[in-house]
Amino acid sequence: DGGITQSPKYLFRKEGQNVTLSCEQNLNHDAMYWYRQDPGQGLRLIYYSQIVNDFQKGDIAEGYSVSREKKESFPLTVTSAQKNPTAFYLCASSMAGVGVNTEAFFGQGTRLTVV
Amino acid sequence: AQSVTQLDSQVPVFEEAPVELRCNYSSSVSVYLFWYVQYPNQGLQLLLKYLSGSTLVESINGFEAEFNKSQTSFHLRKPSVHISDTAEYFCAVGGYQKVTFGTGTKLQVIP
Protein backbone atom coordinates (compact mmCIF):
# COMPACT_ATOMS: atom_id res chain seq x y z
CA ASP A 1 0.00 0.00 0.00
CA GLY A 2 1.17 3.52 -0.76
CA GLY A 3 1.73 5.90 2.07
CA ILE A 4 4.10 7.72 4.38
CA THR A 5 6.03 5.97 7.10
CA GLN A 6 7.49 7.79 10.06
CA SER A 7 9.76 6.07 12.52
CA PRO A 8 10.01 5.64 15.36
CA LYS A 9 6.57 6.37 16.80
CA TYR A 10 8.02 7.31 20.20
CA LEU A 11 11.51 8.65 20.81
CA PHE A 12 13.27 9.64 24.00
CA ARG A 13 16.52 11.59 24.06
CA LYS A 14 18.68 13.31 26.60
CA GLU A 15 18.99 17.07 26.47
CA GLY A 16 21.90 18.19 24.30
CA GLN A 17 21.79 15.22 21.92
CA ASN A 18 20.94 15.48 18.25
CA VAL A 19 18.23 13.13 17.03
CA THR A 20 17.04 12.23 13.52
CA LEU A 21 13.43 11.44 12.66
CA SER A 22 12.79 9.29 9.63
CA CYS A 23 10.17 9.93 6.95
CA GLU A 24 9.75 7.73 3.86
CA GLN A 25 7.03 7.87 1.20
CA ASN A 26 6.19 5.63 -1.75
CA LEU A 27 3.54 7.87 -3.28
CA ASN A 28 5.91 9.29 -5.89
CA HIS A 29 5.27 12.76 -4.52
CA ASP A 30 7.75 15.52 -5.26
CA ALA A 31 6.87 17.69 -2.26
CA MET A 32 7.51 16.77 1.35
CA TYR A 33 6.98 18.69 4.58
CA TRP A 34 7.80 18.57 8.27
CA TYR A 35 5.42 20.02 10.83
CA ARG A 36 5.61 20.37 14.56
CA GLN A 37 2.43 20.05 16.61
CA ASP A 38 2.05 21.46 20.13
CA PRO A 39 -1.20 21.64 22.11
CA GLY A 40 -3.20 24.72 21.18
CA GLN A 41 -0.79 25.82 18.44
CA GLY A 42 -1.88 23.73 15.51
CA LEU A 43 0.68 22.62 12.96
CA ARG A 44 3.71 24.78 12.38
CA LEU A 45 5.86 24.28 9.31
CA ILE A 46 9.52 23.49 9.99
CA TYR A 47 10.93 22.73 6.52
CA TYR A 48 9.57 21.80 3.12
CA SER A 49 11.01 20.46 -0.08
CA GLN A 50 9.53 20.67 -3.56
CA ILE A 51 12.23 18.65 -5.30
CA VAL A 52 15.25 16.45 -4.58
CA ASN A 53 18.33 18.31 -3.32
CA ASP A 54 16.34 21.44 -2.58
CA PHE A 55 14.48 22.52 0.56
CA GLN A 56 13.19 25.69 2.15
CA LYS A 57 12.84 26.92 5.71
CA GLY A 58 9.37 27.10 7.11
CA ASP A 59 8.13 29.25 9.96
CA ILE A 60 10.11 27.61 12.78
CA ALA A 61 13.30 26.21 11.21
CA GLU A 62 15.74 27.29 13.93
CA GLY A 63 17.33 24.31 15.65
CA TYR A 64 16.34 21.87 12.90
CA SER A 65 18.00 20.57 9.77
CA VAL A 66 16.85 18.40 6.85
CA SER A 67 18.19 16.70 3.75
CA ARG A 68 16.51 15.54 0.55
CA GLU A 69 18.95 13.22 -1.22
CA LYS A 70 16.21 10.91 -2.49
CA LYS A 71 12.68 11.59 -3.62
CA GLU A 72 11.31 9.07 -1.15
CA SER A 73 13.10 10.29 1.95
CA PHE A 74 13.06 13.52 3.96
CA PRO A 75 14.75 13.01 7.37
CA LEU A 76 14.57 15.70 10.04
CA THR A 77 17.36 16.27 12.56
CA VAL A 78 16.49 17.98 15.80
CA THR A 79 19.70 19.56 17.00
CA SER A 80 20.81 20.59 20.47
CA ALA A 81 20.18 24.19 19.40
CA GLN A 82 16.43 23.62 19.47
CA LYS A 83 15.39 25.09 22.82
CA ASN A 84 12.17 23.17 23.33
CA PRO A 85 12.24 20.02 21.19
CA THR A 86 9.63 17.95 23.01
CA ALA A 87 6.67 17.76 20.62
CA PHE A 88 4.73 15.67 18.14
CA TYR A 89 6.34 15.76 14.69
CA LEU A 90 4.41 15.10 11.51
CA CYS A 91 5.76 14.44 8.05
CA ALA A 92 3.61 14.95 4.97
CA SER A 93 3.88 14.77 1.20
CA SER A 94 1.90 16.05 -1.76
CA MET A 95 2.06 16.60 -5.46
CA ALA A 96 4.26 19.60 -6.09
CA GLY A 97 3.02 22.78 -7.65
CA VAL A 98 3.24 26.50 -7.47
CA GLY A 99 -0.17 26.65 -5.88
CA VAL A 100 -0.78 23.89 -3.39
CA ASN A 101 -4.15 22.67 -4.53
CA THR A 102 -3.77 19.01 -3.73
CA GLU A 103 -4.19 17.21 -0.49
CA ALA A 104 -1.29 16.41 1.77
CA PHE A 105 -0.81 12.86 2.98
CA PHE A 106 0.46 12.53 6.52
CA GLY A 107 2.48 9.97 8.39
CA GLN A 108 1.41 8.71 11.82
CA GLY A 109 3.81 11.04 13.59
CA THR A 110 6.76 10.75 15.96
CA ARG A 111 6.39 11.85 19.55
CA LEU A 112 9.76 13.13 20.73
CA THR A 113 10.44 13.57 24.42
CA VAL A 114 13.66 15.18 25.56
CA VAL A 115 14.59 14.66 29.19
CA ALA B 1 1.06 35.81 3.04
CA GLN B 2 -1.65 33.45 4.15
CA SER B 3 -3.21 32.60 7.49
CA VAL B 4 -6.02 30.58 8.99
CA THR B 5 -8.05 31.37 12.09
CA GLN B 6 -10.06 28.81 13.99
CA LEU B 7 -11.69 30.74 16.78
CA ASP B 8 -13.00 27.79 18.78
CA SER B 9 -10.38 25.58 20.42
CA GLN B 10 -13.03 23.17 21.78
CA VAL B 11 -16.63 22.50 20.81
CA PRO B 12 -18.74 20.17 22.97
CA VAL B 13 -21.96 18.92 21.39
CA PHE B 14 -24.50 16.24 22.22
CA GLU B 15 -24.79 13.20 19.99
CA GLU B 16 -27.22 13.65 17.09
CA ALA B 17 -27.11 17.45 17.46
CA PRO B 18 -25.82 19.71 14.65
CA VAL B 19 -22.38 21.28 14.79
CA GLU B 20 -20.48 24.07 13.05
CA LEU B 21 -16.72 24.49 13.27
CA ARG B 22 -15.63 27.92 12.17
CA CYS B 23 -12.71 28.79 9.92
CA ASN B 24 -11.63 32.14 8.49
CA TYR B 25 -8.68 32.59 6.16
CA SER B 26 -6.58 35.23 4.46
CA SER B 27 -4.58 34.70 1.33
CA SER B 28 -3.00 36.90 -1.30
CA VAL B 29 -3.09 34.22 -3.98
CA SER B 30 -5.65 31.80 -5.36
CA VAL B 31 -7.47 30.10 -2.53
CA TYR B 32 -7.46 26.38 -1.98
CA LEU B 33 -9.13 25.32 1.26
CA PHE B 34 -9.06 22.07 3.17
CA TRP B 35 -10.45 20.46 6.30
CA TYR B 36 -8.44 17.69 7.91
CA VAL B 37 -9.35 15.43 10.84
CA GLN B 38 -6.94 14.03 13.40
CA TYR B 39 -7.66 11.19 15.82
CA PRO B 40 -5.47 10.88 18.97
CA ASN B 41 -1.80 10.12 18.33
CA GLN B 42 -2.31 9.85 14.60
CA GLY B 43 -1.56 11.89 11.54
CA LEU B 44 -4.08 14.06 9.72
CA GLN B 45 -6.55 12.78 7.14
CA LEU B 46 -8.23 14.88 4.48
CA LEU B 47 -11.93 15.39 5.18
CA LEU B 48 -12.87 17.63 2.25
CA LYS B 49 -11.45 20.32 0.01
CA TYR B 50 -12.46 23.33 -2.05
CA LEU B 51 -10.43 24.07 -5.17
CA SER B 52 -12.92 25.74 -7.51
CA GLY B 53 -16.48 25.44 -8.79
CA SER B 54 -19.35 24.78 -6.41
CA THR B 55 -18.88 26.60 -3.14
CA LEU B 56 -20.47 23.76 -1.17
CA VAL B 57 -18.32 20.67 -0.76
CA GLU B 58 -19.20 17.45 1.00
CA SER B 59 -17.39 14.53 2.58
CA ILE B 60 -18.41 10.89 2.50
CA ASN B 61 -19.28 10.84 6.21
CA GLY B 62 -21.83 13.65 6.23
CA PHE B 63 -19.69 16.74 6.78
CA GLU B 64 -19.99 19.72 4.47
CA ALA B 65 -18.25 23.07 4.15
CA GLU B 66 -19.14 26.20 2.26
CA PHE B 67 -16.64 28.56 0.72
CA ASN B 68 -17.72 32.16 1.30
CA LYS B 69 -15.42 34.55 -0.51
CA SER B 70 -16.98 37.75 0.78
CA GLN B 71 -16.64 36.62 4.40
CA THR B 72 -13.37 34.75 3.78
CA SER B 73 -14.78 31.77 5.58
CA PHE B 74 -14.88 28.00 5.13
CA HIS B 75 -17.00 26.72 8.02
CA LEU B 76 -17.47 22.99 8.55
CA ARG B 77 -20.92 21.66 9.38
CA LYS B 78 -22.66 18.41 10.14
CA PRO B 79 -26.43 18.15 10.75
CA SER B 80 -26.17 15.26 13.21
CA VAL B 81 -22.94 14.20 14.91
CA HIS B 82 -21.95 10.74 16.06
CA ILE B 83 -19.67 9.64 18.86
CA SER B 84 -17.13 8.56 16.26
CA ASP B 85 -16.81 12.19 15.10
CA THR B 86 -14.91 13.02 18.29
CA ALA B 87 -11.54 14.25 17.01
CA GLU B 88 -9.56 17.39 16.30
CA TYR B 89 -10.34 19.25 13.09
CA PHE B 90 -7.93 21.48 11.23
CA CYS B 91 -8.73 24.03 8.58
CA ALA B 92 -5.96 24.76 6.07
CA VAL B 93 -5.26 27.04 3.13
CA GLY B 94 -3.02 26.07 0.24
CA GLY B 95 -0.83 28.76 -1.20
CA TYR B 96 2.53 29.18 -2.87
CA GLN B 97 4.41 25.92 -2.33
CA LYS B 98 3.03 25.26 1.14
CA VAL B 99 -0.07 24.70 3.21
CA THR B 100 -0.88 26.77 6.29
CA PHE B 101 -2.94 25.20 9.07
CA GLY B 102 -5.16 26.66 11.75
CA THR B 103 -4.72 25.89 15.43
CA GLY B 104 -7.38 23.21 15.39
CA THR B 105 -10.79 22.67 16.99
CA LYS B 106 -11.43 19.72 19.26
CA LEU B 107 -14.90 18.34 18.72
CA GLN B 108 -16.19 16.47 21.76
CA VAL B 109 -19.39 14.53 21.15
CA ILE B 110 -21.28 13.86 24.36
CA PRO B 111 -23.44 10.72 24.52
Side-chain angles (χ1 to χ4, degrees):
Chain A
D1 289 335
I4 297 183
T5 301
Q6 288 186 244
S7 61
K9 190 170 178 64
Y10 298 95
L11 189 55
F12 295 87
R13 278 295 181 269
K14 289 184 179 180
E15 192 172 342
Q17 289 183 335
N18 291 357
V19 60
T20 297
L21 282 58
S22 170
C23 178
E24 303 277 335
Q25 55 100 357
N26 61 4
L27 299 167
N28 200 33
H29 285 164
D30 286 307
M32 296 188 74
Y33 312 84
W34 274 105
Y35 292 91
R36 171 180 170 142
Q37 186 176 18
D38 296 283
Q41 298 194 54
L43 275 69
R44 293 182 289 168
L45 183 63
I46 304 173
Y47 269 97
Y48 62 103
S49 168
Q50 291 286 309
I51 197 169
V52 174
N53 291 323
D54 186 49
F55 47 82
Q56 307 294 328
K57 292 182 178 180
D59 302 316
I60 56 164
E62 185 175 353
Y64 299 97
S65 65
V66 294
S67 63
R68 187 84 188 276
E69 298 177 0
K70 298 186 301 182
K71 187 175 184 178
E72 303 79 17
S73 179
F74 192 41
L76 173 74
T77 296
V78 184
T79 75
S80 57
Q82 168 51 233
K83 298 304 180 187
N84 185 19
T86 294
F88 190 52
Y89 291 88
L90 286 163
C91 179
S93 72
S94 73
M95 299 291 287
V98 173
V100 181
N101 61 354
T102 60
E103 71 176 283
F105 290 80
F106 283 82
Q108 294 296 295
T110 293
R111 187 167 297 281
L112 173 64
T113 302
V114 176
V115 296
Chain B
Q2 58 195 48
S3 66
V4 177
T5 301
Q6 292 181 250
L7 290 173
D8 305 307
S9 60
Q10 295 189 52
V11 173
V13 62
F14 286 103
E15 192 174 15
E16 298 184 3
V19 70
E20 178 180 83
L21 306 183
R22 296 180 293 168
C23 172
N24 289 89
Y25 69 90
S26 67
S27 177
S28 57
V29 297
S30 297
V31 175
Y32 308 112
L33 295 162
F34 308 85
W35 275 100
Y36 287 83
V37 59
Q38 183 182 34
Y39 299 100
N41 292 312
Q42 293 187 24
L44 278 67
Q45 305 168 37
L46 181 70
L47 191 60
L48 47 76
K49 61 185 176 184
Y50 168 79
L51 304 181
S52 65
S54 173
T55 57
L56 184 66
V57 291
E58 299 177 352
S59 72
I60 59 173
N61 56 353
F63 282 95
E64 64 178 31
E66 186 164 17
F67 169 57
N68 188 319
K69 188 174 182 179
S70 62
Q71 297 186 7
T72 61
S73 67
F74 191 55
H75 301 331
L76 182 69
R77 302 183 182 94
K78 189 170 185 179
S80 175
V81 297
H82 190 266
I83 289 290
S84 60
D85 294 324
T86 295
E88 190 160 15
Y89 293 79
F90 290 90
C91 183
V93 58
Y96 181 69
Q97 292 192 340
K98 63 180 182 177
V99 179
T100 300
F101 288 84
T103 52
T105 298
K106 290 186 177 179
L107 174 62
Q108 182 184 6
V109 180
I110 305 165

